[in-house]
Amino acid sequence: MLGVALLGLTPAADLASGPIRPLVCEPAYPYAKTVPTGENAFLCGARQGAQYPTLPDHRLLAFGREQCARYPGTTVHAAFLAPICPPAAADRQRELDAEEAEYARKEAESQAECDRFRHKPLIKPVRVARILEFSEIGLEAYEDHEDSEDDPVMHHDLVGSATGVLRIDLAADYEQCVTTETYRRRPPVEVKGWDKVIEVGYLSPTGDFTLRDPFDSPELPNLAVAGKGHYRVRVHYREPDWEAWTPQHLLVMVYPGRGDDVIDLKRTRRPAGGR
């Protein structure tokens, strides 16, 4: 549509005349909160995806201004025209503000859900951390050490552990209310209200035992409360409301202790096998 409109704006011979300046473009953030402004921003947006590589800047700008003069009676989207068209910029900013308000509303609802099920420790932990996370691949701790392994065996579709690596699988597409608690000694077992409670052993070769989204910066603290060595990791999981899209809940308790036994605490106190 844009190409056809441009061709109708001027003789074909004029389309190829004039300079095309090298552009220095800001990264295109998918969740930008403000409308970019200026000719440079317009040209960057218009040329995204290597569009119109031979069309001179002045012709592309002329088209934008001509469409702005018709706005809102044009088929060109407000986001395209916004950098050089104040009426379109105002409409686009209202769209962004509405999107931001909706995001904040949903975030508040999710946080309220996390707060409603906030865990109350039965004994005093060394440290408690809580975050509202969104990871499509779960959480992982990996320690940079020559003894660290790569692929832990997963147990009950929830947690896997090997030297220097611990992985927790979560449902993609659903937010996660994540709580970590570290202890000096073994905390009491709590299974009521949880769909899964699995405990595994973990050997920390460096003392840097930090769970994170593998594609994001760490937001949770180091779980190796006693430095490098052996730990027991108890992972509690509650499913989301699949239809209401509420968050899933994850509580990870960590305390010093030896043993590689995998225990399904919801069903047995005896060692449990892999999935």
Side-chain angles (χ1 to χ4, degrees):
M1 181 67 72
L2 176 57
V4 172
L6 282 166
L7 287 172
L9 186 65
T10 188
D14 196 35
L15 287 175
S17 62
I20 299 176
R21 295 181 292 107
L23 293 172
V24 178
C25 299
E26 295 292 327
Y29 296 108
Y31 303 111
K33 297 181 181 180
T34 58
V35 175
T37 58
E39 292 183 354
N40 189 78
F42 173 79
L43 292 171
C44 285
R47 297 195 188 280
Q48 278 184 347
Q51 296 186 88
Y52 317 109
T54 62
L55 190 68
D57 292 345
H58 75 285
R59 297 311 309 158
L60 199 47
L61 287 164
F63 172 76
R65 294 190 179 102
E66 188 267 343
Q67 292 298 306
C68 180
R70 298 181 184 180
Y71 190 85
T74 174
T75 58
V76 178
H77 194 276
F80 179 87
L81 294 175
I84 59 170
C85 184
D91 285 347
R92 179 57 180 155
Q93 188 61 57
R94 279 190 286 271
E95 291 177 358
L96 294 177
D97 291 344
E99 291 169 3
E100 181 65 18
E102 178 64 10
Y103 175 81
R105 184 189 67 79
K106 290 181 178 179
E107 192 82 353
E109 287 182 353
S110 295
Q111 187 59 59
E113 180 77 3
C114 294
D115 295 341
R116 188 163 71 93
F117 289 100
R118 178 171 291 192
H119 180 249
K120 298 178 180 179
L122 298 181
I123 63 173
K124 186 177 180 180
V126 176
R127 180 183 289 177
V128 177
R130 300 180 181 92
I131 62 171
L132 176 60
E133 177 69 272
F134 183 80
S135 172
E136 294 185 347
I137 60 173
L139 300 178
E140 181 179 270
Y142 183 82
E143 301 188 38
D144 187 9
H145 189 272
E146 61 184 3
D147 292 337
S148 295
E149 301 178 34
D150 291 325
D151 296 310
V153 175
M154 299 301 294
H155 301 280
H156 301 273
D157 296 314
L158 181 62
V159 59
S161 172
T163 298
V165 59
L166 185 131
R167 187 170 299 147
I168 298 174
D169 283 349
L170 299 167
D173 303 330
Y174 288 81
E175 291 178 300
Q176 301 106 29
C177 301
V178 180
T179 300
T180 61
E181 298 174 355
T182 53
Y183 295 87
R184 296 286 183 188
R185 61 186 177 91
R186 183 177 184 268
V189 173
E190 302 173 62
V191 298
K192 185 178 180 179
W194 297 100
D195 295 306
K196 298 179 183 180
V197 184
I198 308 297
E199 184 168 305
V200 300
Y202 178 76
L203 175 57
S204 172
T206 70
D208 182 13
F209 178 19
T210 306
L211 277 172
R212 69 187 72 184
D213 179 336
F215 297 124
D216 202 354
S217 300
E219 297 181 82
L220 292 164
N222 186 0
L223 301 177
V225 66
K228 64 182 180 180
H230 293 270
Y231 291 86
R232 298 292 294 173
V233 181
R234 191 179 300 163
V235 181
H236 310 66
Y237 177 75
R238 183 184 302 114
E239 294 182 352
D241 183 324
W242 301 104
E243 294 184 358
W245 289 89
T246 60
Q248 54 202 312
H249 293 256
L250 183 71
L251 168 63
V252 182
M253 295 178 174
V254 179
Y255 64 96
R258 290 183 173 272
D260 295 327
D261 292 347
V262 177
I263 306 174
D264 180 352
L265 291 168
K266 285 282 289 185
R267 293 174 174 81
T268 179
R269 298 299 177 87
R270 295 174 297 174
R275 61 173 157 202

